[in-house]
């Protein structure tokens, strides 16, 4: 009986940290319409719509529980196919007012998708990993996928490029 109790404690203690983890996927919005340089809130162009569908395919088998988007046409349109497929309403966030500690506490135990901009996603990642590691994304790059996993004090992070569903 004692061995069963010890094994049970070990089993449950090994599984507890997973509840303490948060996995965050971060992407920049898809390609935007650049036909009017004065438009501060453009929609996605044709290639951007295709990329939003690509992202939807990528996240199809991921157990995303929350989606965060800035309040711009291009970011909302980027996550719209994912939002519809998963039945998740995006949470609108402000890059200047987000409290990263509260964000991590709120999303503890979840897989989260965040969409932002070339100048905000790297800084968002840096805040999560508590290190100035990633630099601003070049304005022509829309394929970066940053992945951050934080379990208690252990943090892993990396970036990959998703240019097709085969990636």
């Amino acid at each position: 009986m004692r061995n069963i109790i010890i094994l049970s404690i070990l089993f449950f203690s090994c599984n507890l940290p997973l509840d303490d983890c948060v996995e965050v996927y971060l992407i920049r919005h898809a390609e935007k319409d650049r036909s009017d340089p004065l438009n501060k809130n453009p929609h996605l162009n044709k290639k951007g719509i295709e990329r939003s569908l690509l992202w939807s395919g990528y996240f199809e088998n991921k157990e995303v529980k929350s989606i965060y988007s800035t309040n711009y046409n291009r970011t909302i349109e980027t996550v719209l196919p994912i939002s519809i497929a998963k039945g998740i309403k995006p949470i609108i966030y402000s890059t200047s007012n987000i409290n990263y500690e509260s964000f991590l506490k709120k999303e503890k135990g979840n897989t989260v998708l965040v969409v932002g901009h070339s100048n905000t996603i790297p800084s968002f990642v840096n805040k999560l990993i508590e290190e100035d590691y990633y630099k601003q994304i070049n304005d022509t790059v829309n394929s970066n996928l940053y992945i951050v996993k934080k379990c208690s004090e252990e943090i892993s992070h990396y970036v990959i490029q998703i240019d097709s569903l085969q990636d």
Side-chain angles (χ1 to χ4, degrees), residues 6 8 17 19 29 36 41 55 62-63 87 91 94 100 105 140 156 159-160 162 164:
I6 291 171
S8 296
D19 293 339
H29 61 78
D36 179 1
N41 192 17
W55 285 126
K62 306 271 188 253
E63 293 191 29
I91 298 164
S94 168
Y100 296 94
K105 278 184 185 175
T140 61
S156 65
V159 62
I160 58 175
I162 304 294
S164 69

Side-chain angles (χ1 to χ4, degrees), residues 18-78:
L18 294 178
D19 293 339
D20 192 36
C21 296
V22 61
E23 187 169 29
V24 185
Y25 291 88
L26 302 101
I27 60 175
R28 179 188 178 208
H29 61 78
E31 290 83 350
K32 63 185 176 183
D33 179 358
R34 296 175 184 268
S35 62
D36 179 1
L38 299 178
N39 185 356
K40 300 291 184 195
N41 192 17
H43 292 276
L44 296 181
N45 63 21
K46 183 180 178 191
K47 189 171 181 181
I49 293 168
E50 290 170 4
R51 183 172 303 280
S52 73
L53 296 172
L54 175 75
W55 285 126
S56 184
Y58 180 85
F59 287 101
E60 182 177 7
N61 296 317
K62 306 271 188 253
E63 293 191 29
V64 173
K65 299 291 184 201
S66 302
I67 299 172
Y68 288 77
S69 175
T70 57
N71 197 17
Y72 288 89
N73 292 328
R74 59 195 176 273
T75 52
I76 294 168
E77 291 169 6
T78 298

Side-chain angles (χ1 to χ4, degrees), residues 13-164:
S13 67
C14 289
N15 288 327
L16 284 177
L18 294 178
D19 293 339
D20 192 36
C21 296
V22 61
E23 187 169 29
V24 185
Y25 291 88
L26 302 101
I27 60 175
R28 179 188 178 208
H29 61 78
E31 290 83 350
K32 63 185 176 183
D33 179 358
R34 296 175 184 268
S35 62
D36 179 1
L38 299 178
N39 185 356
K40 300 291 184 195
N41 192 17
H43 292 276
L44 296 181
N45 63 21
K46 183 180 178 191
K47 189 171 181 181
I49 293 168
E50 290 170 4
R51 183 172 303 280
S52 73
L53 296 172
L54 175 75
W55 285 126
S56 184
Y58 180 85
F59 287 101
E60 182 177 7
N61 296 317
K62 306 271 188 253
E63 293 191 29
V64 173
K65 299 291 184 201
S66 302
I67 299 172
Y68 288 77
S69 175
T70 57
N71 197 17
Y72 288 89
N73 292 328
R74 59 195 176 273
T75 52
I76 294 168
E77 291 169 6
T78 298
V79 294
L80 188 60
I82 302 164
S83 174
I84 291 169
K86 298 205 173 279
I88 300 171
K89 182 178 178 185
I91 298 164
I92 302 300
Y93 76 96
S94 168
T95 57
S96 59
N97 293 330
I98 191 161
N99 180 308
Y100 296 94
E101 189 175 325
S102 296
F103 169 82
L104 289 169
K105 278 184 185 175
K106 178 182 178 190
E107 295 301 341
K108 192 163 116 176
N110 290 335
T111 299
V112 182
L113 172 61
V114 177
V115 63
H117 307 271
S118 61
N119 61 339
T120 64
I121 287 298
S123 61
F124 199 120
V125 175
N126 290 339
K127 294 287 188 183
L128 294 178
I129 66 172
E130 301 172 23
E131 184 181 345
D132 188 20
Y133 188 84
Y134 295 100
K135 304 301 174 214
Q136 186 170 323
I137 304 168
N138 185 301
D139 194 43
T140 61
V141 175
N142 299 86
S143 58
N144 285 2
L145 172 62
Y146 298 83
I147 303 170
V148 176
K149 187 167 187 178
K150 190 166 188 172
C151 298
S152 295
E153 298 304 314
E154 292 195 28
I155 302 170
S156 65
H157 60 92
Y158 55 98
V159 62
I160 58 175
Q161 300 258 312
I162 304 294
D163 286 315
S164 69

